[in-house]
Amino acid sequence: MQIPEKVISEIAALTGEGNAEVRAAFERKTNTSIRINSQKVQLPEGLQQVPWCKTGYFLEERPTFVTDPLFHGGAYYVQESSSMFLEQAIKQHVSTDEPILALDLCAAPGGKSTHIISLLPEDSVLISNEVIRTRANILSENLTKWGYPNQAIVNSDPKFIGNSELQFDLIVVDAPCSGEGLFRRSPEAIHEWSEENVELCAARQKRILADIWPVLKPGGVLIYSTCTFNHLENEQNMTWLKEQHDVESLRISFQHDSILETETNDIFGYRFLPTRSLGEGFFLSAVRKTGIGKTQTGKSRIRTVKSSPASVYLKATENLVIIDQNGQHLLTNEFLASNMETLKRLRPLQVGTPLGTTKGHDFIPAQALANSIYLRDGMPSIELDQDEALNFLSLGSLSGNYPKGWHVVRFNGVALGFIKSVGNRNNTYFPKEWRIRTDLAKYPRPFFSLGNL
């Protein structure tokens, strides 16, 4: 790989290693890691844990995830191990004593959002934003599969969020960057790299930070990250933020050979470099906005549904509410329900968990209800083997004779979707846009599944 010499020399200056050593490190194969949804499956045995993430695990090799129904059911997320270091920043510097309001500003495809929402205190809220609509749709799918109701997905420019009435306790900015940390995985990233692009990225990152800073409440934490190595997009941007505002740089206590801690202009930074880590390149820095603020509470009245046909599908939801939004029943919490008008101005794709709609005397459950962590275990269910589950996920059809009515389709106990048996046929309600389009016949058997490890 023709790694740019400037990138090589910058890493060598950081680590004190020779250019040849750095260049050789880019030739090493990266590892594959996943993060478990502990609300859906138990932690696997026999896998090596990612040291800085309680639910993160390394796999010995990269399997074909598309063949695993558990992957499609939101039982785990395939995520780069380096970026899981976000967990330490949140655990060490974000209070869990009371519910918080969090924002993942550049959230697609959803790795950090699914991670954040798994770490937040009960009754907290996560708003996940993606400005590019096609990527926002992917974000929505991944968060729906993860199954939490205390989230909203919006498709807004950072400046519009920065001008909103919201005040966040935590903002995560995984900023668009020059992608130097992806060189081992993506030759395209090498071809697209240039010093001019680094400068453009750094300017855009400053603009994003400036746009969003007003809605970080005093005392709140901003976590900034990139998948690049250079100082311009990393320390210099955080130094600029410190020069513009009163901030406290936060030190993260974690000792591991993979992590390089730096301190520049009183700004702490944490890097994952190719000479030290088998993960992708990553940089993270966290700051606290000085001052004291209060957690925001809802303002407007909540229009809850007193009796919903979706209730029979749900576990106990004392801290949640069901609302009727234009005929669709949603499971969410009081804060999101109280701030619907504010969210409307941010172009929401989804708020909470869509439960379904009522048509005449029938209730049509939504796919998101099947994926919800609040789906009741005792619902009529059909347990499929792997081949049957992949057929369901590919074609959206299911053969067999089942009692009339709605059934949850499951694999290894994890819900995949709904069918309705009408006697002579089974009507499927699995989303067409989610169906597997890969030709599974080209993959050797047995197919991979996390449940077989």
Side-chain angles (χ1 to χ4, degrees):
M1 293 187 292
Q2 298 298 316
I3 307 298
E5 285 300 319
K6 186 171 180 60
V7 175
I8 296 290
S9 60
E10 284 210 16
I11 295 174
L14 279 167
T15 64
E17 296 160 314
N19 285 15
E21 294 174 88
V22 175
R23 192 174 290 106
F26 276 101
E27 300 292 337
R28 297 182 194 137
K29 183 181 179 182
T30 58
N31 55 30
T32 298
S33 50
I34 61 173
R35 189 169 34 76
I36 299 297
N37 187 341
S38 57
Q39 296 287 342
K40 295 193 175 188
V41 292
Q42 295 180 343
L43 301 182
E45 297 180 0
L47 295 182
Q48 180 187 354
Q49 186 176 0
V50 175
W52 43 86
C53 178
K54 183 178 181 181
T55 55
Y57 292 88
F58 294 111
L59 301 182
E60 293 182 0
E61 59 184 19
R62 188 175 185 87
T64 307
F65 290 107
V66 72
T67 67
D68 188 2
L70 295 178
F71 169 71
H72 299 279
Y76 62 93
Y77 193 96
V78 183
Q79 186 178 13
E80 229 297 307
S81 61
S82 303
S83 65
M84 296 182 195
F85 189 64
L86 173 68
E87 179 168 317
Q88 293 303 315
I90 292 176
K91 283 186 173 180
Q92 294 183 35
H93 293 294
V94 178
S95 173
T96 59
D97 293 337
E98 60 182 5
I100 70 167
L101 178 60
L103 169 68
D104 187 4
L105 184 65
C106 312
K112 289 182 177 61
S113 281
T114 55
H115 197 177
I116 295 165
I117 203 165
S118 301
L119 297 171
L120 294 184
E122 190 175 7
D123 295 340
S124 296
V125 169
L126 172 65
I127 296 178
S128 298
N129 177 67
E130 175 54 50
V131 67
I132 301 173
R133 183 54 186 257
T134 53
R135 287 172 55 81
N137 291 334
I138 296 170
L139 171 67
S140 180
E141 177 181 340
N142 285 328
L143 273 171
T144 296
K145 290 177 178 177
W146 204 248
Y148 282 69
N150 53 323
Q151 50 82 24
I153 302 149
V154 299
N155 173 218
S156 188
D157 190 278
K159 66 182 178 182
F160 294 129
I161 301 176
N163 288 327
S164 73
E165 302 170 359
L166 300 170
Q167 286 286 289
F168 294 93
D169 304 272
L170 168 66
I171 296 178
V172 175
V173 180
D174 187 39
C177 68
S178 60
E180 296 167 357
L182 305 179
F183 283 177
R184 284 196 290 195
R185 185 182 73 186
S186 173
E188 290 79 11
I190 302 174
H191 298 316
E192 293 172 0
W193 186 91
S194 69
E195 293 188 49
E196 292 79 9
N197 190 41
V198 169
E199 293 176 358
L200 287 172
C201 287
R204 177 171 55 183
Q205 292 152 359
K206 284 190 180 75
R207 185 171 65 251
I208 290 171
L209 289 170
D211 285 342
I212 207 64
W213 187 256
V215 290
L216 179 66
K217 78 173 190 180
V221 171
L222 183 142
I223 300 174
Y224 176 81
S225 64
T226 70
C227 56
T228 202
F229 303 125
N230 66 78
H231 283 82
L232 191 63
E233 296 179 73
N234 295 328
E235 285 91 349
Q236 289 190 34
N237 271 344
M238 297 308 288
T239 298
W240 171 84
L241 183 67
K242 187 172 183 291
E243 291 170 348
Q244 302 298 311
H245 306 283
D246 293 328
V247 303
E248 173 196 2
S249 182
L250 302 175
R251 191 171 191 179
I252 301 170
S253 301
F254 200 92
Q255 300 296 321
H256 195 275
D257 292 342
S258 296
I259 305 167
L260 176 67
E261 181 187 65
T262 61
E263 185 178 2
T264 307
N265 301 321
D266 298 322
I267 293 290
F268 291 103
Y270 299 87
R271 272 188 175 78
F272 290 76
L273 298 167
T275 55
R276 291 176 171 236
S277 171
L278 291 179
E280 303 290 359
F282 186 66
F283 171 87
L284 182 144
S285 185
V287 297
R288 188 183 304 280
K289 190 174 190 177
T290 55
I292 300 174
K294 295 182 179 180
T295 300
Q296 184 171 338
T297 57
K299 298 178 181 178
S300 59
R301 295 180 62 186
I302 305 171
R303 192 161 54 90
T304 59
V305 176
K306 294 182 179 179
S307 178
S308 171
S311 299
V312 297
Y313 290 82
L314 299 171
K315 301 175 184 176
T317 55
E318 293 88 351
N319 299 320
L320 300 170
V321 295
I322 299 176
I323 62 174
D324 184 350
Q325 188 181 45
N326 300 322
Q328 184 182 60
H329 289 191
L330 303 174
L331 178 68
T332 186
N333 66 9
E334 291 189 3
F335 177 88
L336 287 171
S338 299
N339 286 274
M340 284 294 186
E341 291 303 316
T342 298
L343 291 171
K344 284 179 182 178
R345 294 192 286 272
L346 303 181
R347 299 174 62 188
L349 273 68
Q350 183 172 310
V351 178
T353 300
L355 298 175
T357 57
T358 302
K359 293 186 177 181
H361 297 292
D362 293 331
F363 176 73
I364 313 298
Q367 173 64 31
L369 175 55
N371 294 122
S372 173
I373 61 173
Y374 282 92
L375 179 67
R376 188 163 63 86
D377 294 331
M379 294 303 302
S381 297
I382 301 168
E383 182 72 26
L384 303 180
D385 63 27
Q386 190 167 2
D387 285 338
E388 292 169 334
L390 289 173
N391 185 68
F392 172 77
L393 293 167
S394 300
L395 304 175
S397 60
L398 189 64
S399 59
N401 296 318
Y402 304 102
K404 289 184 177 181
W406 290 97
H407 300 267
V408 180
V409 177
R410 298 180 184 269
F411 172 75
N412 278 18
V414 174
L416 303 177
F418 286 107
I419 67 154
K420 184 179 183 181
S421 176
V422 294
N424 59 345
R425 69 180 187 278
N426 301 313
N427 296 332
T428 182
Y429 287 80
F430 189 72
K432 292 181 180 179
E433 61 272 19
W434 287 14
R435 292 180 187 176
I436 299 173
R437 291 174 172 79
T438 305
D439 182 7
L440 299 177
K442 67 180 182 181
Y443 295 109
R445 306 295 180 94
F447 289 144
F448 166 80
S449 176
L450 183 69
N452 296 331
L453 295 181

